[in-house]
Structures are given as C-alpha cells and as structure tokens.
Amino acid sequence: MTLTPAVLWLNTVFAAFDMNVTLFIHKLYEMGGGFFTPFFELVSLLGKGGIAMIMFAAAMLINKRPRRAGTAVLLGLLVGVIITNLCIKTTVARPRPYADESSIFYQLWITVGQNMESDYSFPSGHTTAAMAFATALFFTCNKRYSWTAFIFALLMGVARVYLCVHFPSDVIGGFIVGFVSGVIGTLIACKLPRKWYELEFFGKKGRA
C-alpha cells in the first residue's frame, strides 16, 4: 500500500503518542473485561453520519428561543463535513489503524469487536461532528450548562480510539476541525437576518 507524504509524516511524528494513548485507553477493556464495549459502541453510533446531532439541532429550530443554537449546530456540522470528509480525508488518505494486520492496533481491534469503517482515518469524522456540536452549543447557549456538551465530544473521541477505528492523532485532528467548524457555524448563525429567528413555522394560535 502506497502512503501519502501526509500519512508518512503523521505515522512518524505521532507514532509514540498514538501507541501510548491507545494502550492507555485499552486498559478500560482489560479492567472491565469488555464491560465498556457496548457503551462506547453506543456513543460511536450517536456520531454516525451526525444523524443524532442533526435531529437534535432540527428539533431546536421549531421554537424561536433555541433556534439560534440549532442553526449554529447545523451550520457547524455542515462546515465540519465539508472540511473533514470532502477535503482532508481524501487528501491525506490515512488508512484505518486496523488496516495493518501486523500491528498492535489490528490485534486490539480484533479484541474489542472488529467494528468496520469504510472511509479514511484522518481526521475523525465522528469527533469532528461531536466537537462542532459541542462548540456551537457552548457559544449560543447558557455556558453554565452548555459546557457539558464537551463531555460528549470527549467521550466520542475516547470511543473511537477504544474501538480501534481511529488513531488518537485522528481524534485530535477531529477536535481541532470540529472546534473551528463550530465557531464558524456560530458566526454565520449570528449574521443571519433577524427575520429567520422570528418565523412562526406552525403559525400562531387563534385567539378566542
């Protein structure tokens, strides 16, 4: 398999980091005897295609009060998809950790359940979406509570490494792209015409 210069650079610079962090997270499997696997598979499923986050954001569009947050989330997710899936993944073309059957990553992947992915590895699309989601919520909602959305993004990153479908450096890349995407989504949402946020999608109830 011919690797791109970007992949060779990532595999060289982050070799120790990727190995050490993956082995550290894999201790969760060893300590729990696979107990955590269904949980991390569920977390990972919530990020697949960003569907759960899109539905959450779409629900926020129905009412005017949370509409700005829902708009920012949707825009952030869209920007994240464009940057990650349409630009970086195809350009870098990094194989998944389990692609090399002679590596420790492949053995760990076998151990935790052999979850398959069809696209390239860098950056993590699931983590990009989760971070874009969390960032947009953080900047558009009450920060006293909205910061907790970053816990979801962190769990997503851990889940992707735990399942050995991403290198930790893929997750770091996803965090960076997701944060930038969430900020861009928020900025665009704040520039949209006020009329968008005052629309009554279902009309006002008639008066008696």
Side-chain angles (χ1 to χ4, degrees):
M1 180 185 295
T2 302
L3 302 178
T4 64
V7 172
L8 293 173
W9 182 81
L10 286 168
N11 289 351
T12 300
V13 173
F14 293 98
F17 173 78
D18 286 338
M19 179 66 71
N20 292 333
V21 174
T22 299
L23 291 176
F24 178 77
I25 290 177
H26 186 69
K27 289 184 181 296
L28 290 172
Y29 179 88
E30 296 173 350
M31 291 187 297
F35 175 81
F36 297 104
T37 301
F39 171 72
F40 285 126
E41 286 179 339
L42 175 61
V43 172
S44 185
L45 181 63
L46 291 175
K48 192 170 184 62
I51 300 300
M53 289 170 275
I54 291 172
M55 292 177 64
F56 184 90
M60 298 179 78
L61 297 181
I62 296 175
N63 295 314
K64 291 190 288 185
R65 187 173 180 180
R67 189 173 298 159
R68 186 179 299 277
T71 302
V73 168
L74 286 176
L75 289 171
L77 291 172
L78 177 60
V79 173
V81 167
I82 293 173
I83 296 176
T84 296
N85 295 75
L86 301 183
C87 298
I88 302 180
K89 274 184 180 284
T90 54
T91 301
V92 175
R94 190 184 200 184
R96 294 282 173 171
Y98 54 78
D100 181 1
E101 296 185 6
S102 65
S103 71
I104 184 64
F105 298 103
Y106 178 78
Q107 298 302 320
L108 296 178
W109 175 72
I110 293 291
T111 302
V112 297
Q114 304 178 50
N115 292 271
M116 292 291 296
E117 297 291 344
S118 58
D119 57 353
Y120 291 116
S121 194
F122 182 88
S124 167
H126 283 63
T127 309
T128 296
M131 181 56 81
F133 174 82
T135 301
L137 285 181
F138 178 73
F139 284 117
T140 55
C141 297
N142 188 333
K143 293 180 177 59
R144 183 177 179 182
Y145 309 103
S146 61
W147 69 268
T148 57
F150 288 112
I151 297 176
F152 171 65
L154 178 61
L155 285 174
M156 185 64 72
V158 172
R160 302 304 281 169
V161 175
Y162 177 94
L163 297 173
C164 284
V165 292
H166 276 295
F167 295 102
S169 52
D170 298 335
V171 169
I172 297 300
F175 282 151
I176 295 172
V177 176
F179 181 81
V180 171
S181 299
V183 169
I184 293 174
T186 300
L187 292 175
I188 296 175
C190 291
K191 295 294 183 180
L192 290 179
R194 185 180 181 87
K195 188 174 182 180
W196 162 246
Y197 298 109
E198 295 176 347
L199 286 176
E200 292 284 352
F201 289 147
F202 299 103
K204 295 182 179 179
K205 295 181 178 180
R207 296 181 179 178

